[in-house]
Amino acid sequence: MSRFFTTGSDSESESSLSGEELVTKPVGGNYGKQPLLLSEDEEDTKRVVRSAKDKRFEELTNLIRTIRNAMKIRDVTKCLEEFELLGKAYGKAKSIVDKEGVPRFYIRILADLEEGKKKMNKNNAKALSTLRQKIRKYNRDFESHITNYKQNPEQSADEDAEKNEEDSEGSSDEDEDEDGVSAATFLKKKSEAPSGESRKFLKKLEDEDEDSEDSEDDEDWDTGSTSSDSDSEEEEGKQTVLASKFLKKVPATEEDKKAAEKKREDKAKKKHDRKSKRLDEEEEDNEGGEWERVRGGVPLVKEKPKMFAKGTEITHAVVIKKLNEILQARGKKGTDRAAQIELLQLLVQIASENNLGEGVIVKIKFNIIASLYDYNPNLATYMKPEMWQKCLDCINELMDILFANPNIFVGENILEESENLHNVDQPLRVRGCILTLVERMDEEFTKIMQNTDPHSQEYVEHLKDEAQVCAIIDRVQRYLEEKGTTEEICRIYLRRILHTYYKFDYKAHQRQLTLPEGSSKSDLDQVENEGEDSAVLMERLCKYIYAKDRTDRIRTCAILCHIYHHALHSRWYQARDLMLMSHLQDNIQHADPPVQILYNRTMVQLGICAFRQGLTKDAHNALLDIQSSGRAKELLGQGLLLRSLQERNQEQEKVERRRQVPFHLHINLELLECVYLVSAMLLEIPYMAAHESDARRRMISKQFHHQLRVGERQPLLGPPESMREHVVAASKAMKMGDWKTCHSFIINEKMNGKVWDLFPEADKVRTMLVRKIQEESLRTYLFTYSSVYDSISMETLSDMFELDLPTVHSIISKMIINEELMASLDQPTQTVVMHRTEPTAQQNLALQLAEKLGSLVENNERVFDHKQGTYGGYFRDQKDGYRKNEGYMRRGGYRQQQSQTAY
């Protein structure tokens, strides 16, 4: 025996090794020191050097075992505590998980927690709510892993079991290859009569071999499993005595190797037999009874809730009582809204199966649609696609029932006590407002469009639902026209108008162009008989609202939508007259923000319409308020500015975002700015040329002047890139009277792609724009160079600006009449003779100097009066006397006084 392991005395034999007085001495060390005595507990404990991976995974396994025990007894509080500890332990093992990958047993417990949280005991509602929220939030990082596990949970479990088995077999093979035989075999050979501790240790090794054969499947929340005591015994059984690590190994023989190989084969065969037997039993259970196999804790079929007890007679009173019970839980904390909707749908099926009548079904349908709207308690969140589709289908089914049964009357003014749901002899009366449901549906559609990315395919798919929304509104409109009140008809008409006013009707526009400008009423009636286009529809709906509506808001919205529709279809004079007659601009500041946004959109569309008609001054005036503010995007409800976000709190920002207009209603802001700047250029450049030397000239457009100053401050002037640079370059060319260069900057491929091609009649707009540039360039040329000419031929001007002679004659005549140009027309020679009454440049400078000196003297007098403390004292009297003398001189008193003085 090796000297490393000795007993109390050297004379004891090897057979007397009892383990009670096991002594260790260092080899070659000092034998005079007191030997180290190992107690019974220390002898059974094995010193194992484990890796960090094993330590972390063992910690996770222990916590998972505790969670599963809490799941079996449905202890929510314990499950919550252990789940928090599990998250912390996983955080500690994050570095190992990044290398090795997320372990399967961790994904399994997360999936089981997610599926089993519905089965927990709901007595402790607070702990259950907290657990649900934490599981939902935590599982977001493992969605892909959990999805893979749910698709094939059995395969995942088998992979883990095989992996564990291979690991255990691999470790046992290594031990046998290195040591020859196991520690148990060695001790059996070395000790013919083992002591009590040795026998205990051998028993543990045998138990370990038996326990390692059984691999338990994953357990669901409600299935039973072995207790945690057996797990602790397995851990103890895996340990070996300290002495076995240091005892001399005996080489394994061929017989031992064959025995070990046979033992492994028997173990694998037993495992396969047990697994096949268990599968056969499960198949028999599935065939024979109502039980269904559940894999990985995920139920394949959800059990339907029981509405009524077995044998209950289904009557109207029973169904209404059940409906009231379901509705009583509506809005309460902890109520499962999805389950509530399912119960109501199941109640509809029961009512239809038992032929309880359409009145009961209509009442339940009203509550189903209301529950769908209440599914999202937060106003900012929008309906999920499946809930939205359910809502549309349910409203259509409700309308089918109402149209098929004219004897059913619905209304919010019907009291529940006066409802008649089953008495066929009298008309059925159901409490509920179909108009309110449709208005809420329209608001939900707007909310869906607001919260969807406008540049995604999903937005296009949602936009296709507008056809269904309009069809439902049309059906409700026809229903209310028969049975609704005037107020309800006005409200549904407004909904129809809001889905029509912004759409460009190409067929109606072409039909309008074919009619003469002064069309009679018979012509319009003939157009209406051919088919009701959007213009006729808008006219009919809006006129009904103008005549019947008693609320200012609906009438105001209808007028604005009507003006917008006129302007969109280039009916400028009708739109302008309707705006001026309504006087909305006088009190629109008192309206609510959505109506103000609609007013701003209408004014912008009105300005664009005037620009298309060539009325640049009207277009500039209509767009001035929106563009001069610098907040066009915000005023039109198309987004929030970053600087304005800092001035609002979070709640105000949410309210503002809910007011935003969906993307398909947006007006192109670049087109809007270009129309405004071009209109300002056509007005400002001739005005600047006419008042170049006037120090008191006013600005027509501050924003246009700002763009000019920005262009002048640039150190390098390259080719224009942006829309603003094109307008600035065109303005500089127009200043010089070069209309061709101005035309090339305004109308080119870049500007066509960005702006002009977006108009419905792009060629017509471009032709109008070229004509306007030629006319205003002619006016600018005459203002700028009139001092150079004594006379100029109108034919020369006509050739220079490529305008016909009557147009040139008309422009020059207007300038002379308005006293803008000091000249006269010589009709026989067709020339313009300049009068040269304009002051020269030197005279203009002298006049400016005199004005500045006068203002300087006046300012000095005011400063002196302020220092003296008597503002306007002596100098005021002097001025008053001067004024009196001035008036006296005007009456001839100065001459008389002068003659008297001389006499």
Side-chain angles (χ1 to χ4, degrees):
M1 181 178 178
S2 175
R3 291 188 306 168
F4 192 81
F5 293 98
T6 60
T7 56
S9 61
D10 296 309
S11 60
E12 292 183 0
S13 63
E14 298 177 359
S15 61
S16 63
L17 181 61
S18 64
E20 297 177 357
E21 297 177 351
L22 188 62
V23 181
T24 59
K25 287 186 178 182
V27 179
N30 186 5
Y31 290 91
K33 294 183 179 180
Q34 185 177 359
L36 176 64
L37 299 178
L38 298 179
S39 64
E40 296 179 0
D41 298 336
E42 291 175 341
E43 184 178 353
D44 292 339
T45 305
K46 175 184 177 182
R47 289 188 61 192
V48 181
V49 179
R50 293 181 297 168
S51 62
K53 173 185 174 183
D54 297 338
K55 291 180 181 179
R56 296 302 181 192
F57 281 14
E58 183 181 359
E59 183 180 1
L60 294 175
T61 307
N62 294 335
L63 291 171
I64 290 172
R65 187 180 298 114
T66 309
I67 291 174
R68 290 195 180 278
N69 291 336
M71 288 158 62
K72 293 170 192 173
I73 61 175
R74 299 188 178 186
D75 188 352
V76 185
T77 306
K78 182 68 175 177
C79 196
L80 176 60
E81 294 175 358
E82 296 300 325
F83 180 72
E84 293 175 350
L85 295 176
L86 181 66
K88 295 179 181 178
Y90 182 80
K92 294 179 182 178
K94 193 70 171 64
S95 58
I96 299 172
V97 171
D98 293 340
K99 296 179 182 178
E100 303 291 336
V102 183
R104 288 280 186 175
F105 62 84
Y106 193 75
I107 299 299
R108 189 179 302 123
I109 188 63
L110 293 181
D112 292 346
L113 280 170
E114 184 176 1
E115 294 298 330
K117 63 188 178 184
K118 301 177 182 177
K119 303 179 182 178
M120 296 295 289
N121 190 358
K122 295 182 175 57
N123 292 335
N124 194 344
K126 184 176 181 181
L128 179 60
S129 177
T130 306
L131 178 63
R132 284 177 176 172
Q133 293 176 1
K134 291 194 174 183
I135 290 173
R136 191 183 304 113
K137 183 178 180 181
Y138 190 78
N139 285 9
R140 291 175 185 170
D141 299 333
F142 303 93
E143 286 182 358
S144 57
H145 299 284
I146 294 174
T147 304
N148 295 334
Y149 169 74
K150 287 182 178 180
Q151 290 176 355
N152 199 346
E154 184 179 6
Q155 182 179 358
S156 303
D158 294 342
E159 289 178 358
D160 290 346
E162 291 174 3
K163 186 176 179 181
N164 295 335
E165 183 182 354
E166 290 175 0
D167 294 342
S168 61
E169 290 179 359
S171 60
S172 62
D173 292 341
E174 291 176 1
D175 293 341
E176 290 181 358
D177 294 338
E178 294 175 1
D179 303 335
V181 291
S182 63
T185 306
F186 177 76
L187 288 177
K188 286 181 181 179
K189 290 184 177 181
K190 290 296 292 180
S191 178
E192 296 178 359
S195 62
E197 294 296 329
S198 300
R199 285 193 299 271
K200 181 180 178 182
F201 174 68
L202 293 175
K203 178 64 176 174
K204 286 182 179 180
L205 290 181
E206 292 174 359
D207 294 341
E208 178 187 1
D209 294 336
E210 293 176 1
D211 293 338
S212 63
E213 295 174 0
D214 301 328
S215 60
E216 297 181 353
D217 293 338
D218 297 327
E219 300 165 348
D220 198 359
W221 292 76
D222 298 330
T223 58
S225 64
T226 56
S227 63
S228 58
D229 297 337
S230 61
D231 296 330
S232 60
E233 290 178 1
E234 289 179 5
E235 294 179 359
E236 294 177 0
K238 293 179 183 178
Q239 299 176 354
T240 57
V241 293
L242 179 64
S244 62
K245 284 293 181 182
F246 303 98
L247 292 176
K248 185 176 181 181
K249 307 301 190 292
V250 178
T253 60
E254 293 294 333
E255 296 178 357
D256 295 334
K257 292 182 179 179
K258 290 180 180 179
E261 185 69 25
K262 186 177 181 181
K263 186 177 181 181
R264 284 197 298 271
E265 292 177 358
D266 294 341
K267 183 169 62 176
K269 186 177 181 181
K270 289 179 182 179
K271 178 182 177 182
H272 183 268
D273 294 340
R274 282 195 300 270
K275 186 174 181 181
S276 60
K277 183 179 179 181
R278 186 173 65 252
L279 292 175
D280 293 339
E281 291 176 355
E282 291 175 356
E283 290 177 0
E284 292 177 1
D285 293 339
N286 290 336
E287 293 175 359
E290 298 178 354
W291 296 98
E292 183 179 1
R293 185 179 178 190
V294 179
R295 298 183 177 181
V298 183
L300 299 179
V301 178
K302 194 170 184 180
E303 184 181 358
K304 290 185 178 180
K306 294 183 179 180
M307 296 292 295
F308 304 102
K310 191 174 182 180
T312 305
E313 184 181 359
I314 307 300
T315 61
H316 294 87
V318 172
V319 172
I320 296 302
K321 181 180 178 182
K322 192 65 178 180
L323 175 63
N324 293 330
E325 290 179 3
I326 297 172
L327 295 180
Q328 284 176 0
R330 180 180 171 187
K332 291 185 179 179
K333 186 177 181 182
T335 303
D336 191 351
R337 295 179 178 86
Q340 195 177 28
I341 295 171
E342 292 178 3
L343 290 175
L344 291 172
Q345 291 175 342
L346 184 60
L347 197 60
V348 170
Q349 295 178 5
I350 294 173
S352 60
E353 290 172 0
N354 291 273
N355 299 323
L356 297 182
E358 301 296 342
V360 177
I361 295 177
V362 168
K363 184 174 179 61
I364 300 175
K365 288 281 186 184
F366 270 113
N367 290 284
I368 290 176
I369 299 172
S371 299
L372 288 170
Y373 291 146
D374 292 344
Y375 185 78
N376 291 325
N378 190 1
L379 288 175
T381 56
Y382 60 98
M383 293 179 72
K384 296 180 180 178
E386 56 272 12
M387 291 294 175
W388 169 248
Q389 195 60 44
K390 279 184 183 179
C391 180
L392 294 180
D393 296 340
C394 201
I395 293 177
N396 278 319
E397 293 172 2
L398 181 59
M399 293 306 301
D400 291 338
I401 296 173
L402 293 178
F403 276 114
N405 299 273
N407 61 331
I408 300 178
F409 292 90
V410 297
E412 57 185 352
N413 54 350
I414 299 176
L415 301 178
E416 292 185 0
E417 294 80 8
S418 61
E419 283 184 329
N420 179 22
L421 302 177
H422 55 86
N423 190 358
V424 187
D425 298 335
Q426 298 178 357
L428 299 179
R429 296 167 58 84
V430 182
R431 177 177 174 80
C433 183
I434 186 65
L435 178 59
T436 305
L437 298 181
V438 172
E439 287 178 340
R440 179 67 187 275
M441 175 202 67
D442 194 18
E443 293 172 0
E444 288 294 336
F445 175 73
T446 303
K447 200 184 300 182
I448 290 173
M449 304 310 295
Q450 287 174 344
N451 291 274
T452 307
D453 182 12
H455 305 291
S456 64
Q457 186 64 26
E458 184 183 4
Y459 191 90
V460 179
E461 296 298 327
H462 286 319
L463 192 57
K464 293 178 181 178
D465 294 338
E466 189 182 15
Q468 299 184 45
V469 174
C470 293
I472 291 174
I473 293 175
D474 187 28
R475 297 185 69 185
V476 176
Q477 173 188 335
R478 287 188 280 112
Y479 178 78
L480 292 177
E481 284 175 351
E482 297 177 1
K483 298 185 178 182
T485 62
T486 304
E487 182 183 356
E488 291 176 339
I489 294 175
C490 290
R491 286 164 60 186
I492 196 63
Y493 277 4
L494 180 62
R495 289 291 165 181
R496 185 78 182 276
I497 289 170
L498 290 175
H499 282 277
T500 308
Y501 79 98
Y502 63 90
K503 297 175 182 176
F504 183 78
D505 192 349
Y506 183 76
K507 293 182 179 179
H509 185 64
Q510 292 296 326
R511 194 179 303 158
Q512 177 200 350
L513 294 178
T514 57
L515 291 175
E517 186 174 352
S519 300
S520 61
K521 190 175 185 302
S522 59
D523 297 333
L524 296 176
D525 293 339
Q526 183 180 358
V527 171
E528 185 175 356
N529 294 330
E530 293 177 1
E532 189 178 34
D533 55 22
S534 61
V536 178
L537 176 65
M538 289 288 295
E539 189 80 14
R540 179 171 63 85
L541 300 179
C542 291
K543 281 186 176 180
Y544 184 89
I545 293 177
Y546 301 157
K548 304 291 185 179
D549 181 60
R550 297 179 182 178
T551 61
D552 291 337
R553 190 182 187 279
I554 294 180
R555 186 169 58 254
T556 302
C557 292
I559 292 173
L560 291 173
C561 292
H562 202 184
I563 296 170
Y564 190 103
H565 193 265
H566 279 315
L568 186 64
H569 292 82
S570 300
R571 296 189 288 269
W572 155 252
Y573 293 102
Q574 292 94 319
R576 183 200 63 181
D577 295 343
L578 189 57
M579 174 63 77
L580 295 177
M581 287 188 298
S582 63
H583 297 283
L584 290 177
Q585 61 272 19
D586 298 335
N587 53 6
I588 192 64
Q589 65 272 12
H590 303 299
D592 54 341
V595 178
Q596 291 183 7
I597 290 175
L598 181 58
Y599 174 80
N600 294 335
R601 288 167 49 80
T602 303
M603 289 301 299
V604 165
Q605 197 62 245
L606 200 61
I608 296 175
C609 175
F611 181 80
R612 289 199 302 267
Q613 301 298 319
L615 306 172
T616 53
K617 189 172 183 179
D618 293 324
H620 180 270
N621 293 336
L623 301 177
L624 179 61
D625 293 337
I626 300 295
Q627 287 298 122
S628 61
S629 64
R631 299 186 299 124
K633 184 178 182 180
E634 188 174 357
L635 293 175
L636 295 176
Q638 299 181 185
L640 298 179
L641 301 177
L642 293 177
R643 63 187 178 191
S644 61
L645 289 177
Q646 300 174 357
E647 302 172 0
R648 298 184 178 91
N649 55 28
Q650 191 173 6
E651 193 63 29
Q652 291 175 340
E653 181 183 350
K654 289 180 181 179
V655 174
E656 289 290 336
R657 291 193 182 280
R658 285 199 292 269
R659 294 172 182 161
Q660 300 303 302
V661 178
F663 183 76
H664 63 281
L665 299 179
H666 282 194
I667 297 173
N668 193 313
L669 296 177
E670 190 172 14
L671 180 144
L672 173 62
E673 186 178 8
C674 181
V675 167
Y676 175 75
L677 290 178
V678 171
S679 300
M681 177 191 74
L682 296 175
L683 296 175
E684 192 77 58
I685 296 300
Y687 180 80
M688 292 170 61
H691 302 81
E692 185 176 3
S693 58
D694 189 358
R696 297 182 179 180
R697 70 182 180 191
R698 58 183 178 86
M699 287 185 184
I700 298 177
S701 173
K702 291 183 179 180
Q703 187 179 6
F704 178 73
H705 279 274
H706 173 70
Q707 296 299 331
L708 289 180
R709 287 193 296 270
V710 170
E712 292 173 357
R713 285 199 297 264
Q714 291 182 354
L716 294 175
L717 291 177
E721 295 292 336
S722 64
M723 177 270 301
R724 296 174 181 174
E725 292 177 356
H726 277 86
V727 176
V728 171
S731 302
K732 292 180 180 178
M734 183 180 282
K735 268 186 180 180
M736 307 300 295
D738 188 358
W739 75 272
K740 291 184 179 179
T741 306
C742 177
H743 168 243
S744 63
F745 282 127
I746 292 296
I747 300 176
N748 50 55
E749 291 184 1
K750 285 185 179 179
M751 293 294 287
N752 288 339
K754 289 181 179 180
V755 180
W756 309 124
D757 288 341
L758 302 179
F759 284 101
E761 297 175 343
D763 295 334
K764 184 177 178 181
V765 172
R766 280 190 283 263
T767 303
M768 177 274 302
L769 204 53
V770 172
R771 178 81 173 207
K772 279 292 182 182
I773 290 173
Q774 290 171 335
E775 293 176 358
E776 299 302 327
S777 297
L778 172 60
R779 284 165 47 82
T780 306
Y781 184 84
L782 291 175
F783 285 137
T784 306
Y785 301 107
S786 62
S787 60
V788 179
Y789 288 96
D790 288 333
S791 63
I792 184 171
S793 173
M794 285 191 290
E795 293 183 358
T796 305
L797 295 175
S798 176
D799 296 337
M800 187 183 300
F801 294 95
E802 297 183 6
L803 292 170
D804 54 348
L805 196 59
T807 304
V808 175
H809 185 277
S810 173
I811 292 172
I812 296 176
S813 299
K814 287 180 182 178
M815 294 175 67
I816 294 173
I817 292 171
N818 295 330
E819 297 182 357
E820 294 175 342
L821 182 65
M822 297 304 171
S824 59
L825 285 174
D826 188 5
Q827 195 69 27
T829 58
Q830 293 290 319
T831 57
V832 182
V833 180
M834 303 299 174
H835 292 174
R836 292 192 175 279
T837 57
E838 293 86 0
T840 62
Q842 187 176 4
Q843 291 172 345
N844 284 326
L845 290 175
L847 290 174
Q848 293 178 14
L849 178 61
E851 289 178 359
K852 290 181 179 180
L853 288 175
S855 61
L856 179 63
V857 170
E858 188 176 355
N859 290 334
N860 287 336
E861 290 179 354
R862 289 178 181 175
V863 171
F864 184 77
D865 291 340
H866 183 68
K867 287 183 179 180
Q868 294 294 327
T870 56
Y871 179 74
Y874 173 75
F875 289 99
R876 185 180 62 186
D877 296 338
Q878 258 193 341
K879 289 179 182 178
D880 293 341
Y882 174 74
R883 292 193 183 103
K884 291 179 182 179
N885 291 334
E886 185 179 8
Y888 187 67
M889 285 190 293
R890 288 176 182 172
R891 292 191 298 270
Y894 177 71
R895 292 194 186 94
Q896 295 175 5
Q897 187 179 8
Q898 190 177 17
S899 62
Q900 290 175 5
T901 305
Y903 177 75

